[in-house]
Amino acid sequence: MLSWPAPLLPTLPGSGPALRLYDTARGEVVQTQPGRIARMYVCGITPYDATHLGHAATYLAFDLVNRVWRDARHGVHFVQNVTDVDDPLFERADRDGEDWIVLGMRETALFREDMTALRVLPPDDYVGAVESIPRIVAHVESLWDAGLAYQLDDGTGDVYHDVAQAPGFGGESGYDEATMLRLSAERGGDPDRAGKRNRLDPLLWRGAREGEPSWPGPRGIAGRPGWHIECAAIALDTIGMGFDVQGGGSDLVFPHHEYSAVHAEALTGAKPFAQAYVHAAMIGLDGEKMSKSRGNLVFVSRLRGDGVDPMAIRLALLSGHYRTDRAWTPDLLDRALRRLDTWRRAAALPLGAPAGPVLSAVRERLADDLDTPGALAAVDAWAAASLAEAASGGGVPAAQAGDDWDEQSPTVVADLVDALLGIALTP
């Protein structure tokens, strides 16, 4: 599947510190320890609607992970999927009298445009569920052959994973059974389905239904894949087991990330699926989580169409910590527009306050579990000092001894804001 173009990434002096992130499975902030190539899988969209600000906030968080690793001189292998075959896509297409393939292609294209405008670094592998069906079928066959999967005897052809044979089940989310049952019912599962061995067994393969697309499946059963095996298969076949970060929104902790890990660990006999499970919080509007089901969405494309600078959208979303549920308000965007204008005016000065301290501060804040409020405050302080000195007519502080690049302070700060925060200060 076609990805989107990569923005140019400035190279900064020196290198950044090791990145620390909150691992949901361990319940604490841990230091990531990638090798020469850091490996990250971030769950992508189901393309039945445009990119809303909740999506954008999640992908910006993991874009920062990518940028911080690169600044620490790691290569990065970044994989993202597109769930281009799933119930919500079919339901939207049926509602609008549209071909589900055309709908998925159009919304995926719009998502690419939004990510390009927000200057998100693209995945190295951008993989759709449909193109992955042959590999998914092979993995379901492997689970079945190992006695870890079973078919319901109700004639549907549906195949499930037997979680009773997964000793680590529940280790990623840490949820108790009651919580998992509730979330399964709320998030696309079927805990009350008759014929399952365990109420929490996840669907691996859905037998063909009238009016739905289908493909040749395991043991000749026509149908389509379950959601969780999709990401397990794509991750295993692109970056392999034990990759550094599994990313997504906090609503994916369970069931999606839990089951993806169960599938992958059963297929490989190894643990863990990911070294760290990292989750971005929700963006709300009018006191509620922003979601398609509630109809309270603010779309990136609509803001762009209204002439809002994408860099202001990015700044507004980065002004809160990625793990903190937060609200989108007109005031939030207004503050971001004012901040962007201040930074751009400071970056346009012929000289500025020393760049060394702000570079160190931004690196330190981002390496500490992506503390974007702290990083933005450091740039605010540099911009305020630079503009104040210029307004006073007294010049700006001399560059610190030994920092020969500091004489080009506005250029260096513009580069660091670009490289580390993804904000272009050239309009």
Side-chain angles (χ1 to χ4, degrees), residues 16-23 28-32 61 64-65 68-69 71-72 278 318 320-324 359-376 420-421:
L19 173 62
R20 301 171 68 245
L21 293 168
Y22 184 88
D23 175 23
E28 61 183 355
V29 175
V30 300
Q31 183 171 306
T32 62
L64 294 181
V65 172
V68 172
W69 271 337
D71 184 51
V278 182
L318 295 182
H321 193 270
Y322 82 99
R323 287 197 290 115
T324 301
L359 174 58
S360 296
V362 171
R363 279 174 163 161
E364 177 188 339
R365 290 296 84 226
L366 292 181
D368 185 12
D369 196 29
L370 305 180
D371 175 15
T372 50
L376 269 54
L420 297 177
L421 295 170

Side-chain angles (χ1 to χ4, degrees), residues 241-267:
M241 197 69 177
F243 54 92
D244 296 288
V245 165
Q246 164 78 80
S250 58
D251 54 345
L252 298 185
V253 175
F254 190 91
H256 187 51
H257 286 171
E258 187 73 58
Y259 284 135
S260 296
V262 163
H263 296 330
E265 290 166 5
L267 284 163

Side-chain angles (χ1 to χ4, degrees), residues 133-404:
I133 286 176
R135 72 177 81 178
I136 294 170
V137 169
H139 287 308
V140 175
E141 291 271 17
S142 295
L143 290 170
W144 208 340
D145 291 344
L148 302 176
Y150 63 95
Q151 182 181 359
L152 295 191
D153 59 5
D154 59 2
T156 60
D158 293 354
V159 180
Y160 285 82
H161 190 152
D162 185 357
V163 296
Q165 300 187 64
F169 179 57
E172 278 67 45
S173 65
Y175 295 152
D176 60 24
E177 183 179 17
T179 301
M180 289 192 284
L181 286 168
R182 175 177 60 80
L183 292 176
S184 176
E186 293 174 359
R187 298 173 178 174
D190 54 2
D192 296 326
R193 173 119 185 236
K196 291 170 62 174
R197 294 177 183 174
N198 186 304
R199 294 179 68 193
L200 287 169
D201 286 348
L203 181 70
L204 287 167
W205 186 259
R206 176 179 168 86
R209 305 293 203 272
E210 185 177 354
E212 294 184 1
S214 63
W215 293 263
R219 300 192 181 180
I221 302 170
R224 57 184 172 91
W227 177 28
H228 317 301
I229 189 64
E230 168 199 344
C231 283
I234 292 172
L236 288 177
D237 292 349
T238 53
I239 52 176
M241 197 69 177
F243 54 92
D244 296 288
V245 165
Q246 164 78 80
S250 58
D251 54 345
L252 298 185
V253 175
F254 190 91
H256 187 51
H257 286 171
E258 187 73 58
Y259 284 135
S260 296
V262 163
H263 296 330
E265 290 166 5
L267 284 163
T268 62
K271 288 179 70 71
F273 181 43
Q275 301 297 327
Y277 295 85
V278 182
H279 297 97
M282 298 291 103
I283 302 297
L285 182 70
D286 299 328
E288 292 187 316
K289 168 192 168 184
M290 197 175 290
S291 69
K292 294 181 178 72
S293 62
R294 290 187 170 94
N296 62 344
L297 302 178
V298 178
F299 295 110
V300 173
S301 55
R302 177 62 60 83
L303 291 173
R304 293 196 293 116
D306 290 342
V308 177
D309 191 324
M311 296 299 90
I313 301 172
R314 183 166 179 131
L315 263 178
L317 292 172
L318 295 182
S319 65
H321 193 270
Y322 82 99
R323 287 197 290 115
T324 301
D325 289 339
R326 53 205 189 275
W328 178 265
T329 64
D331 183 59
L332 185 69
L333 182 57
D334 288 343
R335 292 198 304 270
L337 286 164
R338 292 193 297 271
R339 173 177 262 153
L340 182 62
D341 176 69
T342 298
W343 288 12
R344 283 178 169 165
R345 287 189 291 111
L349 294 171
L351 293 172
V358 65
L359 174 58
S360 296
V362 171
R363 279 174 163 161
E364 177 188 339
R365 290 296 84 226
L366 292 181
D368 185 12
D369 196 29
L370 305 180
D371 175 15
T372 50
L376 269 54
V379 181
D380 287 342
W382 173 86
S386 297
L387 290 168
E389 289 289 344
S392 72
V396 295
Q400 295 178 346
D403 289 341
D404 54 355

